[in-house]
Amino acid sequence: MTMMTTKMNQDADVTVVGAGPVGLVLAAELALSGATVQVIERRAEPDESMKAGAINVPTAEALDRRGLLPAAEQVQRELLERVGPFAPRADDRRTDGGREARGSRFTGHFAGMVLDADLVDASDPDLAAHTAVDGARMVPQRELEELLAGHVARLGVPVRRGVEVTAFEDTGDGVVVGTTAGPVRTGWLVGCDGGRSTVRRLAGIGFPGTDPELTGMMGTVDLDDPGKLADGWTWSARGAYRYGPQPGRVVTVEFTGAPADRSAPVTLEELQAGLRRVSGTDVTLTALRAAGSRWTDNARQAANYRSGRVFLAGDSAHVHSPFGGQGLNLGVGDAMNLGWKLGAVVAGWAAEGLLDTYDAERRPLGAWVLDWTRAQIGVMRGDAKSAALREVVADLLSTRAGTTYAVKKISGVAQRIDLPGDHPLIGRFVPDLWLTDGSRLVDHGHHGGFLLLDRTADGAFARLAAPWTGRVTGVTDDHATPTGVLVRPDGVVAWASDTTDATGLEAALRRWAGEPSPAPEPAG
């Protein structure tokens, strides 16, 4: 996609800083809500370095809710064709309610201990409820960015590259942003500009946490003698390395503290030296085929996700090691949560107080991810105590219950937001709710907005929600359980019922979808 690099000469309801996946998802959600939005990015070109290699279930379902599932599935098919024998099987089939669904063998790892797909209890209710996106989990970050760039382009969102934020002033009714392309006035400013966020620094938001113990490097290489390396993760007193799952992909971990210059490009010589140290071999790398990246286990969370009219999302709000593949997914969840809420306030149908729920809902999950990654560092060190702990954890992960628990955590299917209501679906991401016409509930929400499933015989739930027409799309179906489900634009279930009792539905609509629209004046 051609990116604009011209001087900014237009105001916008929202300006998003950062054109990575988080910024692009946020911009798309804002555009779907009717807000005018622009994205500015300091890089002149997309980042080609290796980063996340896959996405979790909530991220894949976010793509699904916006009609992007077929494109993501195509990315996975092409990846599996390239990866070949290194890939876990992704063509297993199982029957779910008479429909054939793709059964993913993609499980992930904990501290380098790859989780055995054969030990996963596929009948676990949380896992069984989220299988429709199994064919779209192996989507690397670079391909995801390309997919999202096309999405925002179709929505008419300008992405302006080569533009840096230099200053801003929150005036109370907007934000005046100084950039290298000139000033711009915007209603709201969102920093999606990474762990060293300029927006966070200029906002004066603290970033407490724990300092790094390790330096990791990653790259795709050609090797003279790949037989000297073991497949998967291997530990030594000097650190750890991983070879695979894609051909030529190598990762090294050394507990030497933070690198002198984390932003410096990884060289072939540097990667080879690190790989030789941790593997104890004289393996020779002959070419660096994909730009490498370096990272640490620096773990920090912003003291606040909001300061006035300025927000943080993604790595701007939290950083941690990449173990377990949570970072990209955590950021996309931030963007989905903030996007519709900020869009609602811009549109005028929601009070500004709705924005307070962004920090309240996303902060606990961010804190959990930081601790989940810290725990993995604790069992990866080269000392004897960590090695002993690693053996204990490995034993636990060799059980059916242990593997299923870890997969549920890594995949994101067990995520829950604390919302009012007793139904077990409330606060969770909407499951694969198949309708009698062969569609799923989420197929009716590609445009954004709320979805209300009504399976009452007389359409009682839809009638109650009629005053919210334009914000809530009603979907009727034959009677089944659950009888009614209200889904927020970010996929979170706000209300559900297994009976025809509508108790709590109006309260949920008012809480999340604002006050009902006035009834039209009678003609004549």
Side-chain angles (χ1 to χ4, degrees):
M1 186 181 82
T2 300
M3 297 296 183
M4 302 177 65
T5 57
T6 57
K7 181 178 179 179
M8 292 183 297
N9 57 10
Q10 66 179 37
D11 291 347
D13 292 326
V14 184
T15 296
V16 176
V17 182
V22 177
L24 295 175
V25 169
L26 177 62
E29 292 302 291
L30 288 163
L32 285 170
S33 73
T36 59
V37 56
Q38 62 181 351
V39 180
I40 59 177
E41 165 61 50
R42 66 177 181 85
R43 296 178 185 272
E45 300 293 337
D47 186 1
E48 294 296 325
S49 62
M50 291 183 64
K51 293 186 178 179
I55 58 179
N56 70 0
V57 170
T59 297
E61 290 182 339
L63 300 177
D64 185 16
R65 285 194 300 276
R66 298 300 175 255
L68 301 175
L69 181 61
E73 290 176 330
Q74 180 61 26
V75 170
Q76 175 163 313
R77 284 193 294 269
E78 293 174 357
L79 176 65
L80 292 176
E81 290 174 1
R82 295 195 305 269
V83 169
F86 280 79
R89 290 183 296 136
D91 57 354
D92 297 327
R93 296 279 178 171
R94 67 174 172 273
T95 301
D96 183 9
R99 300 173 179 84
E100 194 176 53
R102 177 167 298 190
S104 174
R105 306 285 291 182
F106 177 69
T107 55
H109 71 89
F110 182 87
M113 290 173 273
V114 177
L115 302 170
D116 186 349
D118 291 330
L119 290 175
V120 178
D121 180 5
S123 68
D124 181 278
D126 290 329
L127 292 173
H130 297 271
T131 62
V133 298
D134 280 351
R137 295 280 312 285
M138 298 181 70
V139 179
Q141 183 165 332
R142 283 188 293 179
E143 284 79 356
L144 178 63
E145 287 190 23
E146 293 176 2
L147 188 157
L148 293 171
H151 182 45
V152 299
R154 290 188 293 273
L155 292 170
V157 175
V159 179
R160 307 179 185 278
R161 290 194 167 272
V163 178
E164 294 189 51
V165 172
T166 58
F168 66 76
E169 178 187 2
D170 185 340
T171 63
D173 60 350
V175 184
V176 179
V177 185
T179 80
T180 53
V184 61
R185 184 176 180 85
T186 187
W188 305 84
L189 180 68
V190 186
C192 303
D193 51 338
R196 288 166 284 184
S197 169
T198 297
V199 173
R200 186 187 65 240
R201 175 176 57 81
L202 292 173
I205 297 175
F207 206 38
T210 52
D211 293 331
E213 297 181 40
L214 63 80
T215 291
M217 294 186 294
M218 177 168 56
T220 300
V221 302
D222 290 331
L223 299 87
D224 248 359
D225 38 18
K228 293 183 177 181
L229 300 178
D231 292 343
W233 282 95
T234 304
W235 291 267
S236 73
R238 300 178 184 87
Y241 75 90
R242 183 186 187 184
Y243 179 46
Q246 295 91 348
R249 182 179 185 268
V250 294
V251 180
T252 64
V253 176
E254 297 182 85
F255 285 87
T256 54
D261 183 2
R262 183 179 168 186
S263 62
V266 174
T267 66
L268 180 68
E269 294 75 19
E270 184 182 16
L271 193 56
Q272 176 177 276
L275 187 57
R276 285 181 172 181
R277 283 192 296 269
V278 296
S279 69
T281 72
D282 60 352
V283 62
T284 298
L285 311 185
T286 58
L288 184 61
R289 291 194 285 109
S293 61
R294 74 183 78 233
W295 39 272
T296 74
D297 61 324
N298 184 34
R300 300 183 181 279
Q301 187 174 31
N304 304 288
Y305 284 16
R306 177 191 182 188
S307 175
R309 287 181 166 262
V310 179
F311 292 88
L312 303 175
D315 288 351
S316 301
H318 37 71
V319 295
H320 50 82
S321 79
F323 294 118
Q326 298 295 318
L328 166 64
N329 300 295
L330 182 61
V332 170
D334 292 345
M336 292 298 297
N337 188 290
L338 177 59
W340 74 268
K341 294 174 181 177
L342 186 52
V345 171
V346 169
W349 56 259
E352 192 173 323
L354 178 65
L355 299 175
D356 294 334
T357 66
Y358 168 58
D359 188 299
E361 292 182 357
R362 296 302 298 174
R363 175 172 297 278
L365 183 57
W368 170 80
V369 168
L370 263 65
D371 282 343
W372 181 259
T373 59
R374 288 185 180 116
Q376 294 178 75
I377 301 304
V379 300
M380 292 189 73
R381 299 187 187 100
D383 61 273
K385 292 179 180 178
S386 292
L389 178 59
R390 188 161 60 244
E391 290 300 318
V392 173
V393 174
D395 280 346
L396 291 173
L397 294 179
S398 68
T399 66
R400 190 171 183 83
T403 296
T404 301
Y405 168 83
V407 168
K408 287 171 62 174
K409 290 290 190 179
I410 293 170
S411 67
V413 299
Q415 290 181 14
R416 185 179 185 277
I417 293 172
D418 186 15
L419 299 182
D422 297 328
H423 194 282
L425 285 181
I426 294 176
R428 294 189 177 274
F429 288 106
V430 61
D432 302 329
L433 291 175
W434 290 94
L435 309 181
T436 53
D437 64 2
S439 68
R440 287 173 297 127
L441 178 61
V442 297
D443 295 333
H444 300 266
H446 293 171
H447 59 284
F450 292 79
L451 287 172
L452 175 62
L453 175 62
D454 184 351
R455 285 169 163 164
T456 62
D458 59 353
F461 299 156
R463 285 199 308 276
L464 190 154
W468 284 269
T469 298
R471 297 174 224 160
V472 180
T473 298
V475 180
T476 59
D477 193 37
D478 290 346
H479 180 71
T481 303
T483 309
V485 179
L486 176 66
V487 184
R488 301 189 327 190
D490 57 358
V492 173
V493 176
W495 171 86
S497 175
D498 290 336
T499 70
T500 58
D501 184 0
T503 300
L505 175 56
E506 183 175 352
L509 287 165
R510 290 181 181 274
R511 176 182 175 90
W512 300 113
E515 292 302 310
S517 301
E521 295 292 335

